[in-house]
């Protein structure tokens, strides 16, 4: 069993259909832009939005994009992440009854899938 490294990840990315790479790329691009708007990584004087409300809304959009990015990537490459609710073939067995992507784990943690 070998944990996938940069070569395997790059191959998985290249093997995705162009429309899916574009979709994932757009999500990542917009997430970074929303982060820029939120000003989270900048000193107060370097922020581009003066309004706390506007920055807060941008931060919320950034967080939503991050969740969307995880789901899009995980769903696009089941060989790396495993099918929904299961570990990938390369993964070691774990003692946890819940897979990180299973509905059961999300519900156990008080969230929705």
């Amino acid at each position: 069993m070998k944990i996938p490294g940069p070569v395997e990840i790059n191959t998985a990315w290249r093997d995705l259909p162009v429309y899916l790479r574009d979709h994932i790329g757009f999500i990542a691009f917009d997430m970074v832009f929303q982060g820029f708007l939120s000003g989270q990584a900048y000193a107060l004087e370097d922020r581009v939005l003066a309004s706390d409300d506007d920055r807060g809304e941008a931060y919320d959009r950034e967080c939503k994009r991050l969740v969307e990015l995880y789901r899009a990537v995980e769903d696009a490459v089941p060989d790396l992440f495993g099918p929904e609710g299961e570990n990938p073939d390369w993964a070691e067995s774990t003692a946890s009854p819940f897979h990180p992507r299973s509905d059961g784990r999300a519900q156990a943690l008080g969230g929705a899938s």
Side-chain angles (χ1 to χ4, degrees):
M1 159 180 30
K2 178 184 175 209
I3 298 172
V7 171
E8 292 82 12
I9 294 168
N10 186 46
T11 299
W13 175 255
R14 274 195 338 257
D15 289 348
L16 291 176
V18 172
Y19 75 89
L20 195 49
R21 282 185 297 193
D22 287 349
H23 176 68
I24 291 169
F26 172 77
I27 295 168
F29 190 91
D30 188 45
M31 182 185 72
V32 171
F33 182 69
Q34 296 306 321
F36 171 71
L37 293 177
S38 77
Q40 293 290 316
Y42 300 95
L44 186 59
E45 65 273 8
D46 294 332
R47 293 179 179 169
V48 297
L49 298 176
S51 165
D52 286 342
D53 289 341
D54 290 343
R55 285 195 313 274
E57 289 173 11
Y59 179 75
D60 289 344
R61 290 189 301 269
E62 177 187 12
C63 292
K64 287 178 184 175
R65 284 298 195 186
L66 179 60
V67 171
E68 187 178 356
L69 183 61
Y70 268 88
R71 289 185 183 197
V73 172
E74 289 174 350
D75 291 346
V77 194
D79 287 346
L80 288 179
F81 296 94
E84 182 69 34
E86 297 178 28
N87 284 324
D89 290 339
W90 60 263
E92 297 176 0
S93 161
T94 64
S96 171
F98 298 115
H99 180 273
R101 293 177 56 213
S102 72
D103 288 340
R105 180 171 185 268
Q107 290 170 357
L109 295 175
S113 156

